[in-house]
Amino acid sequence: MSPESQASEALPSRRRRAPRGGRHRGDESFLLPPGSPALILAVPGPARQGGTDIAAELARLVEIEHTGQPAHVGHLDGDEGNLGALLAGLHRPQDELAAVVVPMSTGPDPALDAAVRAAVAAAPVHAVAAEPLGPHPLIAEALHDRLADAGLARADRIRMMTMVTAATGVIVATPGDATAVRQAEVTSVLLASRLAAPVFTASLADEAGMRAAGEQLRAAGAASVAVAPHVIGSEPEARLVPAAAAAVGAAHAAPLGAHPALARLAALRYVEALSLALAD
């Protein structure tokens, strides 16, 4: 079978659901044919930790809203629900792609990405690693929604803009080091355009950096500051959010959690990685 014909059979076909009401009206989905490679969400840490239910709910949303096929959750630590064991349990001919592993992170994470690549390389079946969920405009949409949920921003549905209410400046607080901050700044720019308000970016683990961002926002005229956690909720850094916000004297939104935008991104990253794998 030629690569072209193989791709035409294995690649998911795009479909558009009937328009539905609400914020996510007009979503695009991908209908996977039977026998498609497994979609696995790779989650940092062991099973039964805080945020484990988020991955399970995202997997459910990916399945029912976007692919029509089961999505799985693989943890990078511990024996229960382990990613390596999940990959080893897949039954597929050696020459066929068995799985696409999507890292559950809002941006490049060297430790998580390396762990996913190691699990994929050690798998007895053919698997590939997808890109992390962000940066992407949908992450900015999800951050905006969580700020609105916390009463820190509201959507002007008539003009399709966001007007900040309780906060006039925002800090996007991200896991990781200076490299992660630079990656998250892409999302911060997109969020600032939605909010029509200044947005700075800082590392959750860098208290001095968080304080500096708050001081810069207040020096620029922000009367109040809010923290938008650039985390899904299953990352170890998620527990740092309340203390980081308190250090700045700011209110904070909840982590992104099982936001529908993240489910859309997981399906998108799966399709991108599948397309590249079949083109090789």
Side-chain angles (χ1 to χ4, degrees):
M1 182 180 292
S2 69
E4 290 79 8
S5 60
Q6 182 184 14
S8 66
E9 287 188 9
L11 278 176
S13 58
R14 302 184 74 167
R15 64 176 177 177
R16 184 177 294 277
R17 295 177 182 268
R20 59 182 180 177
R23 184 173 295 161
H24 303 288
R25 183 177 177 179
D27 291 352
E28 276 196 320
S29 298
F30 299 92
L31 180 62
L32 300 179
S36 296
L39 188 162
I40 302 175
L41 301 178
V43 182
R48 301 186 185 280
Q49 65 174 344
T52 299
D53 54 337
I54 295 173
E57 177 62 13
L58 280 173
R60 187 187 72 85
L61 289 174
V62 169
E63 177 181 341
I64 66 173
E65 293 289 335
H66 299 286
T67 67
Q69 298 293 323
H72 310 275
V73 175
H75 295 272
L76 291 166
D77 296 312
D79 295 329
E80 184 178 354
N82 181 265
L83 174 60
L86 181 58
L87 288 168
L90 297 175
H91 300 288
R92 198 87 169 203
Q94 279 295 119
D95 59 343
E96 291 186 14
L97 183 62
V100 175
V101 182
V102 182
M104 281 274 289
S105 60
T106 53
D109 180 327
L112 175 60
D113 295 343
V116 170
R117 288 194 300 270
V120 165
V125 293
H126 182 200
V128 296
E131 294 295 317
L133 302 183
H136 193 277
L138 285 173
I139 300 288
E141 175 186 325
L143 288 172
H144 156 221
D145 284 350
R146 291 301 179 236
L147 287 166
D149 292 342
L152 301 173
R154 65 179 176 84
D156 182 339
R157 296 181 183 275
I158 297 176
R159 290 179 293 173
M160 299 303 291
M161 292 175 59
T162 298
M163 302 301 292
V164 171
T165 53
T168 52
V170 174
I171 302 172
V172 170
T174 189
D177 56 11
T179 301
V181 171
R182 287 193 295 271
Q183 292 282 350
E185 283 173 351
V186 175
T187 300
S188 295
V189 170
L190 296 169
L191 181 62
S193 68
R194 297 177 65 93
L195 298 174
V199 177
F200 282 63
T201 315
S203 170
L204 274 167
D206 182 4
E207 184 174 320
M210 289 287 297
R211 289 182 184 275
E215 290 167 0
Q216 286 178 289
L217 283 168
R218 292 187 173 99
S224 58
V225 175
V227 171
H230 192 245
V231 295
I232 297 171
S234 52
E235 307 92 332
E237 294 88 350
R239 68 179 185 274
L240 301 177
V241 171
V248 180
H252 67 85
L256 299 174
H259 192 285
L262 300 189
R264 292 163 63 189
L265 275 174
L268 175 62
R269 297 307 187 209
Y270 169 92
V271 169
E272 290 172 345
L274 179 57
S275 299
L276 288 173
L278 293 175
D280 288 342

